[in-house]
Amino acid sequence: MKPRRLLIYVLCLVISAMFADGAAAERRVALVVGISSYTNAPPLPNTGNDSKAIATLFKSIGFDVVIARNDLGVVDFKRTVREFLITAENADVAVVYYAGHGIEIGGMNYLIPMDAKLSHDYDVDDEAIALDRIIWALQPVRRLRLILLDACRDNPFAAKLRSASRSPTRGGLAKLDEISADTLVAFAAKAGSISYDGDGVNSPYATALIRHLAEPGVDIRIALGRVRDEVITMTGGRQEPFIYGSLGGATIALVPQFVTTNVPPVPPPAPPVSVPALPKPVVVNPAPPSAPLPAQPPSETTDPCVRDEARLARLRATPVPNEIINFQREVACTRLRPQIQRLFESIVSTGALPSDGNAAPQAAAKQQVRNEDVRSEDTCTRDMARLQSLRAEPTLPAITNFERELSCERLRSQLRRLRESVAP
């Protein structure tokens, strides 16, 4: 009987481990859509950059599926949403990010595809995507349903929309009254107000999302609260993001915190006990003295900051998003965390890195240059090469000098974050 009981015990342990691994490995999926080149409305300058940067962010933090689409017409938009809803049916975490025009008609919110005309209010049901449809269809997702809307811009269709019974608003989205549990809908600006594209490569809202969503172990509600605070600061109080919905009491982070084991402190040695001296024994034919033990080599330094600083220097020379994310989880030197975060932002902010995160930074720089206008190609090529050299050996005087001489404006935000990653 004993061998049989031992076998049963081992099988129980194996099965328990399998279930524990399955519970720990959450399935995370994301849909990212950016609409910039509107056919019947003025183009939006930053939505394409924003969607690419957010898609790159989700890929770099290990999402299982990231569906990224830009400039979709109404048919392709609806087909993409349907494809994602099928993908998200068995997911633990599902995130939808949309950058583009969004309008409110009769208290309902709609996301606007590239080819929408919207000459009458009843056209919206055929030519746009209802936000309620996305919220309702995400119900099978088990743990977190998160919808991020950078869509609260001025409504370009308001002046030409003819209405029989429903009147459109000039700008902003309508507030949400009923949202199911475990669902958060985050507006770039609170209901009835508009959001801004900003002066940089990305909008203020997308910039703050890139900075805070991927912080390891930070609950999504805290992360979005930090996004709100930063957007208010960046816009001088003109834009205030807002969140609708609720979650339970458990911490839900898009990037899990690296788990460390707390080792109990070693107790102090007991005080010596006085023992009466014994008479020295008489030794007959004492043995010759043994040779002295060889000196022990000095132990390797255990200062975590020395080790982490060396690793940070290597990542600056060859920055790879996946390795930077892993470093954020494993870093032991607390004072280096802000520098690592700034380094990550300097790489991800433009969304131009390859999706697998393993190609050389020079290849990403070349891809960025190919996407630029032909007239600025030579200038951006030269500045990108100089930026890569600074990443390998960054110093504050060299970065400051480069900021004064920089000609390629799309690199300025990366250069600023590189300076922040070097400055303590």
Side-chain angles (χ1 to χ4, degrees):
M1 293 297 293
K2 289 185 177 180
R4 181 178 298 178
R5 290 180 179 176
L6 178 60
L7 178 60
I8 295 174
Y9 178 72
V10 171
L11 288 175
C12 290
L13 289 179
V14 172
I15 294 172
S16 299
M18 291 173 60
F19 277 106
D21 291 342
E26 289 189 331
R27 186 169 185 272
R28 299 174 296 167
V29 299
L31 171 64
V32 179
V33 176
I35 310 294
S36 175
S37 303
Y38 280 92
T39 305
N40 303 295
L44 295 174
N46 273 347
T47 50
N49 295 334
D50 296 340
S51 62
K52 292 175 184 177
I54 295 297
T56 302
L57 175 67
F58 289 144
K59 292 174 183 177
S60 68
I61 61 178
F63 266 53
D64 299 277
V65 178
V66 179
I67 299 176
R69 300 288 187 270
N70 289 308
D71 290 337
L72 297 174
V74 59
V75 175
D76 290 334
F77 202 154
K78 291 182 177 180
R79 183 180 296 115
T80 299
V81 170
R82 184 167 59 251
E83 173 189 353
F84 178 70
L85 298 181
I86 295 173
T87 302
E89 282 183 353
N90 59 345
D92 298 281
V93 175
V95 183
V96 175
Y97 172 84
Y98 172 77
H101 280 304
I103 65 173
E104 176 259 319
I105 296 181
M108 297 285 292
N109 296 314
Y110 298 88
L111 312 184
I112 309 303
M114 178 182 67
D115 56 357
K117 295 181 180 179
L118 297 181
S119 57
H120 202 286
D121 60 354
Y122 54 67
D123 291 333
V124 73
D125 295 321
D126 297 323
E127 299 181 9
I129 309 297
L131 174 60
D132 285 351
R133 180 191 178 198
I134 298 177
I135 296 174
W136 173 81
L138 287 180
Q139 297 310 303
V141 177
R142 289 187 284 265
R143 191 156 184 253
L144 171 65
R145 300 176 283 273
L146 175 63
I147 301 174
L148 305 168
L149 297 179
D150 198 352
C152 311
R153 294 168 171 83
D154 195 22
N155 181 4
F157 301 95
K160 60 181 182 180
L161 264 173
R162 291 176 297 164
S163 175
S165 58
R166 300 179 294 179
S167 59
T169 61
R170 182 64 191 171
L173 299 175
K175 66 179 181 178
L176 303 177
D177 294 325
E178 296 183 5
I179 301 178
S180 60
D182 301 320
T183 302
L184 294 181
V185 181
F187 287 2
K190 64 182 179 180
S193 62
I194 62 173
S195 60
Y196 299 91
D197 279 321
D199 300 325
V201 175
N202 300 113
S203 71
Y205 190 61
T207 300
L209 289 174
I210 293 169
R211 186 186 297 270
H212 296 292
L213 276 187
E215 295 184 65
V218 176
D219 185 87
I220 186 62
R221 289 159 289 196
I222 299 297
L224 291 176
R226 294 173 180 175
V227 169
R228 169 196 174 274
D229 294 344
E230 184 161 336
V231 171
I232 290 176
T233 301
M234 294 172 68
T235 61
R238 294 178 299 164
Q239 178 179 337
E240 178 186 356
F242 204 87
I243 304 170
Y244 298 90
S246 65
L247 301 179
T251 297
I252 300 180
L254 293 187
V255 179
Q257 178 66 55
F258 180 75
V259 179
T260 58
T261 303
N262 294 323
V263 180
V266 179
V273 180
S274 59
V275 179
L278 298 176
K280 184 180 296 185
V282 178
V283 180
V284 181
N285 297 328
S290 59
L293 295 175
Q296 296 292 333
S299 60
E300 184 180 352
T301 179
T302 58
D303 185 357
C305 288
V306 174
R307 181 183 66 251
D308 289 345
E309 285 174 347
R311 186 174 178 184
L312 178 58
R314 291 194 299 271
L315 281 176
R316 283 199 181 107
T318 308
V320 178
N322 286 340
E323 294 184 8
I324 297 175
I325 287 291
N326 290 335
F327 190 20
Q328 285 179 313
R329 300 176 186 174
E330 300 166 3
V331 64
C333 186
T334 305
R335 63 180 175 83
L336 295 182
R337 288 187 182 276
Q339 300 184 44
I340 301 169
Q341 179 68 19
R342 300 297 185 273
L343 176 61
F344 177 76
E345 294 164 5
S346 74
I347 302 302
V348 177
S349 61
T350 62
L353 283 172
S355 61
D356 57 3
N358 294 324
Q362 290 82 359
K366 291 179 182 178
Q367 181 62 36
Q368 287 179 336
V369 171
R370 285 196 294 269
N371 294 334
E372 285 295 315
D373 189 86
V374 175
R375 293 172 296 180
S376 62
E377 183 173 351
D378 293 339
T379 298
C380 287
T381 301
R382 182 181 65 252
D383 288 348
M384 177 59 80
R386 186 172 176 184
L387 178 59
Q388 294 296 339
S389 300
L390 274 179
R391 283 198 177 114
E393 296 182 3
T395 63
L396 285 177
I399 295 173
T400 302
N401 187 43
F402 188 21
E403 285 180 316
R404 289 197 296 265
E405 301 171 358
L406 182 67
S407 300
C408 186
E409 288 300 320
R410 68 183 179 81
L411 299 179
R412 190 168 298 279
S413 62
Q414 297 188 50
L415 185 60
R416 182 177 69 251
R417 291 190 175 92
L418 179 61
R419 171 167 50 78
E420 294 172 350
S421 76
V422 175

